[in-house]
Structure formats: structure tokens, C-alpha cells
Amino acid sequence: MSKEKIALFTIFGGTGDLAQRKLYPSLFKLYQKGYLQDHFAVIGTARRPWTDEHYHEIITDSLASLDADAEKVKAFASHFYYQSHDVTDAQHYVTLKRLSETLDAQYGLQGNRIFYLAMAPNFFGTIAQHLKSENILTNNGFNRVIIEKPFGHDFESAKVLNDELTATFDENQVYRIDHYLGKEMIQNISAIRFGNNIWEFLWNNRYISNVQITLSEKLGVEERAVYYDNSGALRDMVQNHILQILSLLTMDQPVEFTENDINIEKVKALRSLRPYTPAEVADNFVRGQYAADGDIKDYRSEDKISPDSNTDTFVAGKVMIDNFRWSGVPFYVRTGKRLADKFTRIDVVFKRPIVNIFNHDNNASDSTNELAPNVLTINVEPTEGFELRMNAKCVGQGFATTPIQLDYDHDSEATANSPEAYERLLHDALNGDATNFTHWQEVAYSWKFVDVIQKYWDEHTPDFPNYRPGTMGPAASDELLKRDGNEWVYKE
Ligand SMILES: NC(=O)C1=CN([C@@H]2O[C@H](COP(=O)(O)OP(=O)(O)OC[C@H]3O[C@@H](n4cnc5c(N)ncnc54)[C@H](OP(=O)(O)O)[C@@H]3O)[C@@H](O)[C@H]2O)C=CC1
Ligand SMILES: O=C1O[C@H](COP(=O)(O)O)[C@@H](O)[C@H](O)[C@H]1O
């Protein structure tokens, strides 16, 4: 059976950064692998008055780093069509409908349409409304809309956005991108949890002491300063990526490994997040903003950032889940800009043995006395793999114990050839599989949890800046764990 997928992609924001850096290279990779062949076409739209020829040059440039065969690139680019218009102008959609129908007939696209909204979310409602009113949706194929983040600014704005979208599309036609869900090792969480008896039986509050999720970035806000200054680390990374990872780590076993069953369990996990009172926010969440250091400017002096900005560029928090499995287990999360390094990791810290039989007088001379906790680390990026810290006997005479580490990394060649997140997610959307996209109820519960924290922060002026670039954030982040007798597994 052919693996070819058939569809017309309409990319709103076709001249933008996301389209050029992520979408065109990902579509090309699907083309190279044969998922896209002769029966696909792409319409790029934005206000700029580009011609098809210029658009083809842009597509070709966006693939430069892939070092691909020039003929293949040319053939791929020939499937792209540019239409200049403002999405708020109804006339735009008349032309768009005509072009869509022409391309559908020309490429044999069977009425299959994917609308990719690579634009600011305030345009989503008007685009969805016009797609319906101007009859651009088809009856003979599928119609799917892919939405970029941010999905709202808080629960209320997310709900308005969702209502606008679902006035045109059913929930099962909406694909909300969270690119972390397209990452190899995030998808691996379910494999190791539900594919190995040794973990699932220990995966609860009887055996796990705490769990740590770290999404650390070395760079600052770069070219997305305007968006970031209105968002901050809590909204930018915790509401979506971190809570999605947390839901995959904590959900109960789905009845089957299907989109619907996984969604049911993720929603239950997110519903069980303990909502904080304002006083509890102060105790359990820490925010930070980076200072200057050497050549690095402080956040408030960055280009396009307000000089009195109170935006958080760092957040650390303790999240509790009030259900039978997780009651009493702290989930420590942290993320930030200008930290020590660029990496993503999850550390699952197990409880120590109840009795340490090695901590006995007879062994005192050469015993380490202490047994370190077992730690399972899931390295998401840049290394992809697992580490397991255990206690073992020191080699030689006597009976001292020492921590040892078992390491597994994915083969670097396999990792290099493995699809990038956007490629995976576009492939899933072509297949009609929204397992690795966020569903509305997940978004809603995540915002409700985050809104309380953000509201408290908005009402209290922080003492910024409070951390040095190249560190792992303010000291209060370490104190958050120390208070519970814990510490971050990863220290700079
Ligand atoms: N860039 C990234 O890495 C990421 C981006 N995102 C999200 O993706 C979306 C797009 O981001 P990004 O590509 O960076 O943004 P850009 O600012 O680079 O692109 C915005 C696009 O919208 C078009 N546009 C703006 N106004 C109109 C209008 N009235 N009618 C038609 N087209 C219009 C612009 O083209 P023109 O000016 O020609 O009209 C441009 O193509 C945003 O929601 C962002 O938050 C999410 C994660 C990562
Ligand atoms: O969604 C976002 O993610 C990036 C980090 O993604 P990664 O895949 O490089 O880890 C972050 O820089 C950006 O601020 C945020 O919007």
C-alpha cells in the first residue's frame, strides 16, 4: 500500500519565521520520505506582495541547510503557490477558494484540506469564520486546522479562542500544536512507563520521593521579544510544555494506547492538580528575571523589552497532584532563559530503602553509610536517553556501597535521522492522529492552574533582576526543595 498522503495545505502566515524555519523544511522531509508525492499542494498566504517565483526562492532558501538534491528541491517547490492578502479582508477568501479548487482538481487532492494558522492568535477567529462563511471547507474530504501557540493568555481568553474555532471546526478537527509532544523522548515516556513492569509498579507515592522536570535554555528571548515580554516563562513554558509532560508522567494507564483513551487519562491527571491559594503561590512558586553579566545585557535592557518589565524569565515551582497515586509527592518544575545550558531532562527520584542494613557498626570503617536514592533520568535533549542511578558494592575488600550509573543513549545516527518535532506532528495531522496534540480540556485545566499563580504575581511587585546568566536561576529555587529535604538532581 502506498504511504502517500493527499492534501492541500493552506499556510496562513506563509512569509513568517515559523513557516520558513520549521514548516517548509518539515514538509520537504515528508516529501523526501515519500509521505508527500505528486498529490499535494501548498498555498502560502500573507500580506506581502510576493509572486510564485519569489515564493519558490524562499522555499528553496529555507531548505538550504538540508543539503538536498537541487532537482528534488525544485520539484518540491513547484507545488507551492503564493496568494497575497490580508486575512481580515473577506475578498481574500473568494480568491483563496478559487485557487484551492483549481489546485484540488490539478493535483487530485480529493477535497483533503489542512489549514495551518502560523499567525498571531488574534487572527484565528476571523480566519475560521471566513473559511466557513466563504465555503472553503470541503464536503468530500477532510478539513483540519492546525493552531500554533500561544492558545490564549489565560483561561478566559483561551475559551473565547476555542469558542471561535469550534464555531467552524469540531474538536476532532482542531490540532493544537505543542512541539514538545513531537519530541522523541517525550513520546518515550509512555513506552517506558507502560512497557516495563519494573516501573509501573513503582510509579506511585509509595516508592517515588519527588519528580523534577527541567526545561533549561541558554539563550535569551532573541527575535521573539515582543511576544515574550507579554508572556513570561510561566505562560510560555509551564502552562503548555511542562504541564503536558507532567500529565504524561502522572496519568493512569490508558485502556488502549489511542488518542481518546490517552486524552481521558491526561485530563484526569490535570484535573487533579492542586489549585493554590494566593498565600500558597508565594510559598510554592518562585519567579526570576536575569541580570547583566559581562557582554550579556540584563533582560530589561534587551531590544524591544520594556525597561521596567516585571516579566518572569525564570520560574520554579512545586506542583502537587491530589489523587490516590500521587498524594504527597512533590513535582518540582523549572524553566528559564539565560540559564547554565540548553537541555531538557526529567528526574524521577525514588525513596531510599526503609532500612539501611549496611549502615552497621561492623562496617563503619569502610562503609559509605548513606544509600543514595535511586534516580531514573529521562534525557530529552540534547542527549536522548536514560540514566539510572543505583547503589552497588565498591569493588574490593570490605563492604562499602557506592552510587553507580547505568546509561543508555539513543544511537547518534538514528537520532540524527529521526524526524524533528514539526515533521512528526505534520505527519500525524495528515494521518488524522491528534494523540500528540493538546485537546481543549487539557488546555483549560492547565490555564486554570496557571492563572492563580499569574494573578498573584501580577498583584505583587517582584524584586528583579534576581539571577545571574549562566546559573540555574535564583537561590530561592534551591530553597524551594531544601525546605522539603530535597535538592535538584541537576546542579550547574
Ligand atoms: N517562530 C517560532 O519559532 C514560533 C512561533 N509560534 C507561533 O506561531 C505564530 C507565527 O509566528 P512567527 O512565524 O514567528 O511570526 P511572524 O511575525 O514571523 O509571522 C507572522 C505572519 O503573519 C502574517 N500576517 C500578519 N498580519 C497579517 C494579516 N493581517 N493578514 C495576513 N497575514 C498577516 C505575516 O506576513 P505579512 O507581514 O507579509 O502579512 C507573517 O507571515 C505565532 O502565533 C507564534 O506565537 C509558536 C512557536 C514558535
Ligand atoms: O515554545 C517555546 O519553546 C522554545 C524552546 O523549545 P525547544 O524545543 O528549543 O526546547 C522556547 O525558546 C520558546 O520561548 C517557547 O515559546
Side-chain angles (χ1 to χ4, degrees):
M1 203 175 86
S2 168
K3 60 183 181 183
E4 184 187 15
K5 303 292 166 204
I6 297 170
L8 171 65
F9 294 85
T10 305
I11 301 182
F12 293 90
T15 61
D17 174 70
L18 184 78
Q20 294 187 49
R21 272 192 319 108
K22 299 286 185 188
L23 305 187
Y24 302 148
S26 297
L27 287 171
F28 182 68
K29 289 198 177 151
L30 293 176
Y31 182 69
Q32 278 182 314
K33 292 175 185 169
Y35 294 114
L36 296 176
Q37 297 179 19
D38 297 331
H39 301 97
F40 86 98
V42 181
I43 302 176
T45 82
R47 289 165 305 180
R48 261 160 262 193
W50 286 359
T51 59
D52 282 348
E53 289 68 36
H54 182 64
Y55 193 36
H56 292 174
E57 284 167 22
I58 295 285
I59 303 299
T60 307
D61 289 351
S62 73
L63 307 179
S65 65
L66 301 181
D67 203 19
D69 174 71
E71 283 305 311
K72 189 100 184 163
V73 170
K74 196 171 170 205
F76 172 73
S78 72
H79 289 253
F80 283 67
Y81 297 80
Y82 185 77
Q83 187 194 313
S84 167
H85 232 295
D86 190 320
V87 294
T88 57
D89 180 345
Q91 197 57 32
H92 164 91
Y93 299 89
V94 177
T95 334
L96 184 62
K97 178 175 164 61
R98 212 176 299 131
L99 180 57
S100 304
E101 285 168 356
T102 304
L103 295 177
D104 203 314
Q106 185 179 330
Y107 288 94
L109 302 179
Q110 303 176 4
N112 293 340
R113 307 240 162 127
I114 294 188
F115 304 95
Y116 201 116
L117 311 193
M119 289 185 60
N122 55 308
F123 292 115
F124 293 176
T126 191
I127 297 172
Q129 184 201 329
H130 282 98
L131 289 175
K132 186 177 185 182
S133 65
E134 303 307 321
N135 294 316
I136 295 177
L137 306 181
T138 58
N139 294 320
N140 56 331
F142 59 71
N143 294 280
R144 297 174 188 147
V145 63
I146 306 181
I147 311 293
E148 267 302 336
K149 62 170 289 204
F151 199 86
H153 199 63
D154 52 17
F155 171 71
E156 284 309 322
S157 57
K159 185 166 179 338
V160 169
L161 191 54
N162 201 55
D163 290 347
E164 286 174 348
L165 283 169
T166 50
T168 294
F169 294 98
D170 293 337
E171 170 68 14
N172 65 9
Q173 295 176 306
V174 181
Y175 290 69
R176 297 177 196 79
I177 290 258
D178 183 316
H179 74 282
Y180 269 71
L181 298 182
K183 292 184 190 253
E184 182 70 45
M185 294 306 292
I186 298 299
Q187 297 192 353
N188 221 324
I189 292 173
S190 295
I192 64 142
R193 282 195 57 196
F194 304 121
N196 298 289
N197 243 4
I198 56 167
W199 296 126
E200 195 46 21
F201 282 103
L202 304 180
W203 213 255
N204 56 56
N205 53 8
R206 268 163 291 154
Y207 299 101
I208 290 181
S209 154
N210 66 89
V211 179
Q212 305 177 11
I213 303 173
T214 306
L215 275 54
S216 166
E217 296 195 78
K218 201 173 170 62
L219 294 176
V221 290
E222 308 301 298
E223 66 286 342
R224 298 180 70 222
V226 175
Y227 151 76
Y228 195 87
D229 205 33
N230 281 308
S231 169
L234 180 69
R235 289 187 175 116
D236 187 45
M237 300 290 276
V238 177
Q239 183 275 333
N240 37 57
H241 311 316
I242 286 184
L243 291 182
Q244 280 294 317
I245 295 172
L246 191 128
S247 71
L248 289 170
L249 286 168
T250 58
M251 69 180 182
D252 282 343
Q253 180 160 318
V255 176
E256 285 182 38
F257 197 63
T258 58
E259 177 188 338
N260 191 41
D261 288 351
I262 293 170
N263 173 239
I264 288 170
E265 298 306 334
K266 282 171 75 184
V267 169
K268 274 161 56 185
L270 292 166
R271 269 182 69 190
S272 305
L273 293 174
R274 182 186 298 171
Y276 285 133
T277 61
E280 287 169 336
V281 171
D283 283 348
N284 292 295
F285 266 81
V286 169
R287 57 178 156 167
Q289 190 185 82
Y290 59 83
D293 189 33
D295 291 345
I296 298 176
K297 292 178 188 165
D298 63 291
Y299 176 73
R300 288 174 178 167
S301 304
E302 299 267 22
D303 198 22
K304 297 187 185 148
I305 299 294
S306 159
D308 55 359
S309 171
N310 282 331
T311 297
D312 46 304
T313 62
F314 175 90
V315 52
K318 171 172 154 182
V319 181
M320 301 300 290
I321 299 191
D322 287 333
N323 63 20
F324 184 73
R325 188 192 281 258
W326 293 116
S327 176
V329 178
F331 286 78
Y332 301 111
V333 303
R334 64 179 164 171
T335 184
K337 304 277 187 196
R338 294 248 186 259
L339 299 182
D341 216 336
K342 167 75 183 162
F343 65 91
T344 299
R345 64 185 277 160
I346 299 160
D347 297 289
V348 181
V349 183
F350 289 84
K351 291 183 177 171
R352 293 167 207 261
I354 297 168
V355 178
N356 179 357
I357 61 165
F358 307 115
N359 190 4
H360 188 274
D361 279 349
N362 291 344
N363 300 318
S365 57
D366 46 9
S367 165
T368 55
N369 297 329
E370 278 293 307
L371 287 176
N374 297 133
V375 180
L376 171 69
T377 299
I378 303 173
N379 283 313
V380 178
E381 276 174 338
T383 312
E384 295 185 1
F386 302 100
E387 291 167 25
L388 179 60
R389 193 168 79 188
M390 307 205 304
N391 295 300
K393 178 185 168 298
C394 289
V395 178
Q397 276 293 356
F399 206 99
T401 61
T402 187
I404 57 154
Q405 193 150 298
L406 306 184
D407 281 344
Y408 165 81
D409 288 343
H410 278 336
D411 174 71
S412 54
E413 200 179 321
T415 307
N417 291 328
S418 122
E420 202 256 348
Y422 273 91
E423 180 189 339
R424 268 178 219 273
L425 296 175
L426 279 167
H427 181 254
D428 286 353
L430 276 164
N431 275 333
D433 179 359
T435 306
N436 294 311
F437 292 79
T438 46
H439 298 69
W440 164 242
Q441 281 194 313
E442 300 166 24
V443 176
Y445 285 115
S446 302
W447 272 126
K448 284 180 180 172
F449 177 76
V450 158
D451 280 354
V452 181
I453 302 162
Q454 189 67 54
K455 183 166 185 293
Y456 178 84
W457 285 357
D458 290 345
E459 288 167 358
H460 295 80
T461 309
D463 191 11
F464 283 167
N466 62 352
Y467 71 95
R468 214 162 41 81
T471 68
M472 284 308 289
S477 160
D478 297 334
E479 282 150 23
L480 188 70
L481 278 71
K482 214 169 170 187
R483 209 181 54 193
D484 297 339
N486 294 321
E487 58 180 0
W488 292 109
V489 175
Y490 177 88
K491 299 180 200 70
E492 56 208 87

